[in-house]
Amino acid sequence: MNYRGIYSLYYFELKRFFRTIIQSILSPILTTSLYFLVFGSAIGSRISNINGIDYGSFILPGLVMLTILSNSLSNASFSIFFKKFNQTIGELFAAPLSSFEIVIAFVGASATKSMIIGLIIISTSMFFIDLEISHPLLMLFFLLLISITFSLFGLIIGIFADNFERLSLIPILLLTPLSFLGGVFYSIDMLPDIWRNVSLLNPILYLISGFRWSFYEISDVSLLTSLITILTFLTLCILFITYIFKTGYKLKN
Amino acid sequence: MLEIKNVTKTYNYSYKALDGVNLSVKSGEIFALLGPNGAGKSTLINSICGVVNFDSGNISVDGYDVIKNWRKAKTLIGLVPQELNLEQFEKVIDNINFSRGIHGKAPDNQYIEDLMKELSLFDKKENKLRELSGGMKRRVLIAKALSHQPKILFLDEPTASVDPELRKDFWEVVKRLKQRGITIILTTHYIHEAQELADRVAIINNGKIILVDETSELLKKMGEKKIHIKLNEKIDNLPDSLKKLNVEINGNGNLFFRFNSANGHNKIDDVLNFLKNNNYSVKDLSTEESSLEEIFIKLVEENRNELSRNL
């Protein structure tokens, strides 16, 4: 293994985040504060507790997940797309780095950024709610697993994208609607049966549900189902990215 | 140092960029790869360096197969790409250190400092790449390629869009690298550059190597001399004896002819004897040697004609 090579690429990618540190940190703090103000305090005060949890606390795992998903996706997709766009990706293929090592570095950097932002959001929430995490290690495990999975997904999007428009197509058209409809702001038990069943087709619901369980031991679907869903998606991403790097599709031709 | 055997590469299932390329480059030499646009020069270099997947054949660097022993082979290779592909928002020093890092080498500040000084980059080390001129960016690319101390350096059109002064500076750098024992393979459009630098040249066209030879030998074997003879008297009609010697008249009524000294027979004596015997007095005589560029154009043209005949 070229450990030094992995670290160099990881650090180089991570530096992009630290170069825009104010923007990178301020933006999620501001957005989360606004969500807490609007949904938690203004609207939330008119909503009764959900499964014994006050509304502000209830939406916290969903808000963290919302940011983590979009950040992981955009970090990784932008990183690899930018290297394709400015044609510096060739340098990586000319270096003694395996495809696996390149993926570890990109995904590692993207997931690290997402984890930092996730933890900042959780810290920010303490100004608005009484933070309570029943299973902190499980919460961190979910955070890490989802950051890695969606960074891999982002890498695939970045490789397939031929221009900036396509780069933002999936996040805008797929991820944002699915995230909002995946139980960030409500429990699916609050929905009519038909919409409840439709919601069960939304994979994001399983991620939010599992993550919420680590906070309050409440969930829309079982913890095991959530874990299986994430691991299945992670496996699919790994298989797909392996195929891309093995064939050089959209990268070496 | 570099062995290429029967390498092929086809793009989009139809365009054959490399068609059974065979090549051998000796350790420590400067080897120039010449060819017109789309001939396959960059595809060949990128195939060796792992930037492009080739379809079949074998490539080895210093005995290491680039597929089976790819990690070892890539450690020995430095690549200066054709385009000025750089992370524009990064500092020069960070970019160079990054290249060393991804090649698995531990940081070596002294070596990197010396390298930057040699390439006149030291003063610019804290500058962002977008602040540099095209010529300086080209130097950064060379520094990046040398950052991990490779044994073999590929330069893909390294002096494209570089002003003549910088080009000469660059030639000096290449000569110094050769002195250090680095094998250098360069592609170039400037045939004068190959003539100036290369020990050997290969000419590639339509994905095939059509000729490999030592630069001096190639010039000797294929280079022609053009002799211009200015007479005191103007000749309107060329005598048959001179026509037989392929002598021609130019617009000013002066004579000229081509000959290749490698062919053995020296026509100069024949022409001058004829002029002397027929009372023509020579006012001036000058010679013009063909350049590698003329040889290159001739060879590519011949190859094109041969391909058209085979179609």
Side-chain angles (χ1 to χ4, degrees):
Chain A
M1 283 278 270
N2 181 354
Y3 293 108
R4 203 182 294 276
I6 297 171
Y7 175 74
S8 296
L9 181 55
Y10 168 82
Y11 180 69
F12 198 78
E13 286 302 313
L14 205 58
K15 257 195 341 190
R16 192 174 290 145
F17 172 78
F18 288 111
R19 216 170 29 224
T20 54
I21 189 79
I22 305 290
Q23 179 196 329
S24 302
I25 292 177
L26 264 186
S27 171
I29 291 176
L30 188 69
T31 311
T32 311
S33 302
L34 285 172
Y35 273 125
F36 276 119
L37 279 174
V38 175
F39 292 99
S41 304
I43 298 173
S45 60
R46 294 165 190 270
I47 298 174
S48 57
N49 289 353
I50 300 172
N51 295 327
I53 310 291
D54 73 86
Y55 190 67
S57 300
F58 179 83
I59 63 171
L60 171 65
L63 288 180
V64 174
M65 201 48 54
L66 195 69
T67 314
I68 289 292
L69 295 181
S70 63
N71 259 280
S72 301
L73 203 78
S74 59
N75 288 338
S77 60
F78 184 78
S79 285
I80 196 126
F81 176 78
F82 198 60
K83 283 216 175 290
K84 272 173 52 185
F85 180 73
N86 64 19
Q87 297 181 17
T88 52
I89 193 134
E91 185 182 13
L92 300 182
F93 295 130
L97 281 166
S98 68
S99 306
F100 179 63
E101 289 160 354
I102 292 172
V103 171
I104 286 181
F106 272 119
V107 170
S110 168
T112 305
K113 294 175 211 170
S114 297
M115 292 280 289
I116 292 171
I117 290 170
L119 294 173
I120 287 171
I121 294 172
I122 292 170
S123 309
T124 309
S125 73
M126 288 193 286
F127 292 102
F128 301 93
I129 58 168
D130 293 326
L131 183 65
E132 166 199 329
I133 306 170
S134 304
H135 303 279
L137 286 179
L138 185 68
M139 185 275 287
L140 284 173
F141 174 71
F142 260 104
L143 208 58
L144 184 65
L145 193 64
I146 291 166
S147 297
I148 290 173
T149 306
F150 275 78
S151 294
L152 272 170
F153 187 42
L155 213 56
I156 295 168
I157 292 170
I159 291 167
F160 269 83
D162 292 323
N163 52 46
F164 281 100
E165 191 191 6
R166 285 188 190 165
L167 190 67
S168 55
L169 214 60
I170 288 188
I172 291 170
L173 293 183
L174 194 69
L175 199 69
T176 307
L178 285 182
S179 301
F180 273 87
L181 298 172
V184 173
F185 299 106
Y186 55 85
S187 163
I188 58 167
D189 289 336
M190 296 159 78
L191 299 173
D193 277 355
I194 183 162
W195 290 113
R196 188 180 180 283
N197 291 333
V198 169
S199 292
L200 289 172
L201 297 173
N202 180 356
I204 305 293
L205 172 85
Y206 296 84
L207 312 186
I208 294 173
S209 181
F211 193 56
R212 186 172 282 137
W213 191 92
S214 70
F215 279 77
Y216 313 119
E217 294 185 335
I218 57 162
S219 60
D220 288 322
V221 289
S222 77
L223 182 66
L224 186 66
T225 314
S226 288
L227 271 173
I228 290 171
T229 307
I230 300 168
L231 291 172
T232 306
F233 190 50
L234 174 67
T235 310
L236 285 174
C237 288
I238 289 172
L239 288 175
F240 207 59
I241 209 94
T242 306
Y243 167 79
I244 290 171
F245 273 90
K246 202 171 178 182
T247 57
Y249 180 70
K250 290 259 186 185
L251 289 173
K252 286 194 176 187
N253 287 312
Chain B
M1 174 52 79
L2 175 69
E3 291 293 333
I4 301 171
K5 286 180 187 158
N6 215 19
V7 168
T8 61
K9 169 71 187 173
T10 304
Y11 287 112
N12 299 326
Y13 305 103
S14 57
Y15 178 67
K16 214 162 196 175
L18 297 177
D19 189 2
V21 171
N22 290 289
L23 208 58
S24 180
V25 178
K26 289 176 235 162
S27 181
E29 73 175 332
I30 300 181
F31 190 92
L33 199 55
L34 306 175
N37 281 331
K41 303 184 297 289
S42 294
T43 302
L44 182 59
I45 282 189
N46 287 332
S47 296
I48 299 163
C49 297
V51 180
V52 162
N53 289 337
F54 56 94
D55 301 333
S56 62
N58 295 94
I59 301 173
S60 65
V61 178
D62 206 16
Y64 297 103
D65 188 284
V66 297
I67 302 293
K68 289 176 195 151
N69 286 315
W70 61 271
R71 204 187 285 277
K72 188 73 191 163
K74 285 182 178 183
T75 309
L76 303 173
I77 294 174
L79 169 66
V80 179
Q82 191 174 332
E83 306 292 337
L84 295 171
N85 304 330
L86 288 159
E87 296 275 359
Q88 301 291 336
F89 299 99
E90 295 292 335
K91 285 182 189 171
V92 170
I93 179 85
D94 293 344
N95 237 287
I96 298 170
N97 279 327
F98 168 71
S99 294
R100 184 174 172 87
I102 58 172
H103 280 83
K105 291 269 181 139
D108 185 338
N109 294 338
Q110 191 57 53
Y111 172 74
I112 297 295
E113 191 180 314
D114 291 344
L115 182 64
M116 284 194 293
K117 279 179 182 164
E118 185 173 7
L119 292 164
S120 310
L121 278 171
F122 193 67
D123 294 343
K124 306 276 181 189
K125 67 175 185 168
E126 295 297 327
N127 283 63
K128 299 251 170 78
L129 282 150
R130 66 195 162 114
E131 297 162 3
L132 302 187
S133 66
M136 293 309 274
K137 282 179 184 163
R138 188 71 64 182
R139 284 164 190 257
V140 174
L141 284 174
I142 296 169
K144 277 164 74 72
L146 291 171
S147 64
H148 62 284
Q149 293 146 296
K151 275 188 165 182
I152 182 165
L153 182 67
F154 290 89
L155 302 157
D156 197 358
E157 301 199 14
T159 53
S161 67
V162 167
D163 64 62
E165 198 180 333
L166 272 177
R167 189 174 300 150
K168 285 202 170 155
D169 281 356
F170 165 77
W171 290 352
E172 291 309 311
V173 170
V174 170
K175 284 172 187 170
R176 283 202 297 274
L177 292 173
K178 180 187 158 75
Q179 281 167 5
R180 275 199 242 154
I182 297 175
T183 307
I184 294 159
I185 295 169
L186 65 99
T187 71
T188 180
H189 272 305
Y190 304 107
I191 302 184
H192 182 54
E193 188 163 87
Q195 203 166 325
E196 171 79 22
L197 293 173
D199 299 308
R200 288 198 302 149
V201 294
I203 294 175
I204 185 169
N205 196 28
N206 295 311
K208 285 184 175 171
I209 301 283
I210 55 176
L211 183 138
V212 183
D213 210 339
E214 285 183 16
T215 316
S216 53
E217 279 300 306
L218 187 65
L219 283 163
K220 213 187 286 177
K221 272 193 268 178
M222 303 205 62
E224 285 180 326
K225 275 195 174 161
K226 197 173 175 185
I227 310 284
H228 297 271
I229 300 172
K230 208 171 183 179
L231 301 171
N232 282 318
E233 310 83 13
K234 200 176 174 188
I235 294 182
D236 293 324
N237 293 313
L238 202 63
D240 286 344
S241 310
L242 286 180
K243 277 183 190 168
K244 278 179 195 163
L245 291 166
N246 293 324
V247 176
E248 296 172 59
I249 303 179
N250 67 17
N252 300 325
N254 295 319
L255 306 178
F256 71 93
F257 64 95
R258 293 182 176 88
F259 87 102
N260 187 339
S261 54
N263 289 347
H265 184 69
N266 187 343
K267 283 201 295 188
I268 306 174
D269 270 352
D270 297 343
V271 175
L272 291 179
N273 282 336
F274 174 83
L275 293 173
K276 192 179 172 188
N277 295 338
N278 291 277
N279 300 318
Y280 288 108
S281 57
V282 176
K283 191 177 178 185
D284 193 15
L285 190 143
S286 63
T287 61
E288 190 185 317
E289 279 186 66
S290 59
S291 64
L292 190 55
E293 181 155 9
E294 284 164 322
I295 297 170
F296 167 74
I297 292 167
K298 197 171 137 189
L299 281 166
V300 170
E301 194 59 39
E302 277 173 15
N303 180 249
R304 202 169 285 154
N305 293 340
E306 194 183 324
L307 280 173
S308 328
R309 277 197 299 275
N310 292 338
L311 282 175

